[in-house]
Amino acid sequence: MADAPPPLPEAALEEAFLAGTGPGGQNVNKVATAVQLRLDVFALRLSPPVYARLKTLAGSRWTNEGEIVITARSFRTREANRADARDRLAAMVAKANIAPVRRVKTKPSKSAKEKRMVGKAVRSEVKRGRGKVSFD
Protein backbone atom coordinates (compact mmCIF):
# COMPACT_ATOMS: atom_id res chain seq x y z
CA MET A 1 0.00 0.00 0.00
CA ALA A 2 1.22 3.55 -0.76
CA ASP A 3 2.46 5.94 1.90
CA ALA A 4 -0.21 7.91 3.73
CA PRO A 5 -0.47 11.56 2.66
CA PRO A 6 0.67 14.17 5.19
CA PRO A 7 -2.00 15.26 7.68
CA LEU A 8 -3.89 18.50 7.05
CA PRO A 9 -3.86 21.30 9.66
CA GLU A 10 -6.80 20.95 12.07
CA ALA A 11 -7.43 24.73 11.99
CA ALA A 12 -8.30 24.51 8.29
CA LEU A 13 -10.83 21.67 8.74
CA GLU A 14 -14.47 21.78 9.76
CA GLU A 15 -16.59 18.64 10.31
CA ALA A 16 -20.33 18.15 10.34
CA PHE A 17 -22.10 14.84 10.87
CA LEU A 18 -25.17 14.06 8.79
CA ALA A 19 -27.81 11.37 8.77
CA GLY A 20 -26.80 8.65 6.35
CA THR A 21 -28.86 7.79 3.27
CA GLY A 22 -30.00 4.51 1.83
CA PRO A 23 -30.96 1.25 3.53
CA GLY A 24 -30.11 0.56 7.14
CA GLY A 25 -33.36 0.27 9.06
CA GLN A 26 -33.76 2.11 12.34
CA ASN A 27 -30.04 2.74 12.75
CA VAL A 28 -29.80 5.02 9.70
CA ASN A 29 -32.67 7.14 11.04
CA LYS A 30 -31.23 7.50 14.55
CA VAL A 31 -27.47 7.90 14.08
CA ALA A 32 -25.66 10.63 12.12
CA THR A 33 -22.76 8.58 10.78
CA ALA A 34 -22.07 10.35 7.47
CA VAL A 35 -19.44 13.10 7.68
CA GLN A 36 -19.11 16.28 5.66
CA LEU A 37 -15.57 17.62 5.82
CA ARG A 38 -14.78 21.20 4.75
CA LEU A 39 -11.25 22.39 4.05
CA ASP A 40 -10.48 26.12 3.96
CA VAL A 41 -8.01 26.17 1.07
CA PHE A 42 -6.74 29.68 1.86
CA ALA A 43 -5.53 28.47 5.28
CA LEU A 44 -3.12 26.08 3.51
CA ARG A 45 -1.17 29.00 1.93
CA LEU A 46 -0.57 27.17 -1.35
CA SER A 47 1.50 28.52 -4.23
CA PRO A 48 -0.54 29.65 -7.29
CA PRO A 49 0.28 26.59 -9.49
CA VAL A 50 -0.61 24.15 -6.68
CA TYR A 51 -3.79 26.14 -5.94
CA ALA A 52 -4.82 25.93 -9.61
CA ARG A 53 -4.17 22.17 -9.76
CA LEU A 54 -6.14 21.63 -6.53
CA LYS A 55 -9.07 23.64 -7.89
CA THR A 56 -9.08 21.49 -11.02
CA LEU A 57 -8.86 18.25 -9.02
CA ALA A 58 -11.65 19.31 -6.64
CA GLY A 59 -14.05 20.09 -9.49
CA SER A 60 -17.63 20.41 -8.22
CA ARG A 61 -16.50 19.87 -4.62
CA TRP A 62 -14.98 23.40 -4.70
CA THR A 63 -17.29 26.10 -3.28
CA ASN A 64 -17.44 29.81 -4.10
CA GLU A 65 -16.03 30.54 -0.63
CA GLY A 66 -12.81 28.71 -1.48
CA GLU A 67 -13.60 25.53 0.44
CA ILE A 68 -13.47 21.91 -0.61
CA VAL A 69 -16.37 19.80 0.64
CA ILE A 70 -15.92 16.03 0.94
CA THR A 71 -18.83 13.83 2.03
CA ALA A 72 -18.13 10.29 3.25
CA ARG A 73 -20.96 7.87 3.94
CA SER A 74 -19.57 4.52 2.81
CA PHE A 75 -19.13 3.05 6.28
CA ARG A 76 -21.45 2.36 9.19
CA THR A 77 -19.44 4.20 11.83
CA ARG A 78 -18.54 7.85 12.30
CA GLU A 79 -14.89 7.03 12.87
CA ALA A 80 -14.52 5.08 9.62
CA ASN A 81 -16.32 7.76 7.57
CA ARG A 82 -14.25 10.48 9.24
CA ALA A 83 -10.99 8.68 8.44
CA ASP A 84 -12.15 8.03 4.86
CA ALA A 85 -12.98 11.71 4.26
CA ARG A 86 -9.68 12.91 5.74
CA ASP A 87 -7.69 10.39 3.70
CA ARG A 88 -9.43 11.38 0.45
CA LEU A 89 -8.92 15.07 1.13
CA ALA A 90 -5.25 14.65 2.09
CA ALA A 91 -4.66 12.52 -1.05
CA MET A 92 -6.22 15.24 -3.21
CA VAL A 93 -3.98 17.94 -1.70
CA ALA A 94 -0.92 15.68 -2.04
CA LYS A 95 -1.75 15.00 -5.71
CA ALA A 96 -2.06 18.76 -6.35
CA ASN A 97 1.45 19.26 -4.95
CA ILE A 98 2.95 17.02 -7.65
CA ALA A 99 3.84 19.08 -10.72
CA PRO A 100 3.13 17.38 -14.05
CA VAL A 101 6.18 16.37 -16.11
CA ARG A 102 6.56 18.51 -19.22
CA ARG A 103 6.55 16.61 -22.50
CA VAL A 104 9.71 16.97 -24.57
CA LYS A 105 8.93 17.34 -28.26
CA THR A 106 10.88 15.01 -30.53
CA LYS A 107 11.21 14.63 -34.30
CA PRO A 108 11.20 11.34 -36.18
CA SER A 109 14.64 10.32 -37.46
CA LYS A 110 15.54 10.30 -41.15
CA SER A 111 15.47 6.50 -41.25
CA ALA A 112 12.01 6.45 -39.62
CA LYS A 113 10.70 8.88 -42.24
CA GLU A 114 12.24 6.77 -45.03
CA LYS A 115 10.74 3.57 -43.60
CA ARG A 116 7.32 5.22 -43.44
CA MET A 117 7.50 6.40 -47.04
CA VAL A 118 8.59 2.92 -48.26
CA GLY A 119 5.67 1.39 -46.38
CA LYS A 120 3.24 3.84 -47.96
CA ALA A 121 4.60 3.04 -51.43
CA VAL A 122 4.20 -0.71 -50.86
CA ARG A 123 0.64 -0.22 -49.62
CA SER A 124 -0.14 1.99 -52.62
CA GLU A 125 1.04 -0.75 -55.03
CA VAL A 126 -1.15 -3.32 -53.25
CA LYS A 127 -4.21 -1.08 -53.59
CA ARG A 128 -3.41 -0.20 -57.21
CA GLY A 129 -3.37 -3.92 -57.99
CA ARG A 130 -6.99 -4.20 -56.87
CA GLY A 131 -8.28 -2.06 -59.75
CA LYS A 132 -10.03 -3.27 -62.86
CA VAL A 133 -7.99 -5.62 -64.99
CA SER A 134 -7.77 -4.70 -68.67
CA PHE A 135 -6.93 -7.41 -71.22
CA ASP A 136 -5.39 -5.11 -73.83
Side-chain angles (χ1 to χ4, degrees):
M1 194 163 153
D3 293 332
L8 298 167
E10 287 295 323
L13 297 174
E14 181 184 323
E15 286 179 334
F17 292 96
L18 318 165
T21 58
Q26 293 177 7
N27 190 59
V28 79
N29 298 327
K30 292 188 298 186
V31 184
T33 56
V35 66
Q36 189 178 63
L37 189 62
R38 290 177 173 270
L39 170 70
D40 180 14
V41 178
F42 299 117
L44 296 179
R45 307 254 188 257
L46 300 171
S47 66
V50 175
Y51 177 87
R53 285 194 296 269
L54 183 59
K55 191 169 185 174
T56 303
L57 283 170
S60 63
R61 293 176 292 239
W62 189 279
T63 67
N64 291 334
E65 292 79 36
E67 295 180 327
I68 297 176
V69 180
I70 300 281
T71 305
R73 57 169 55 104
S74 303
F75 301 99
R76 291 176 58 108
T77 63
R78 271 187 177 192
E79 293 76 25
N81 282 329
R82 191 170 178 244
D84 179 44
R86 285 174 179 260
D87 289 346
R88 285 172 29 207
L89 191 55
M92 187 186 301
V93 172
K95 188 173 180 184
N97 277 301
I98 299 170
V101 179
R102 296 293 303 250
R103 181 183 174 271
V104 178
K105 292 183 179 180
T106 59
K107 290 183 179 180
S109 64
K110 252 186 178 179
S111 62
K113 285 182 186 177
E114 183 64 32
K115 187 175 177 183
R116 182 174 144 266
M117 297 312 287
V118 168
K120 286 169 73 82
V122 168
R123 190 76 190 138
S124 174
E125 282 302 314
V126 168
K127 287 187 170 190
R128 194 174 300 142
R130 294 180 186 157
K132 286 190 175 183
V133 178
S134 65
F135 299 105
D136 296 350

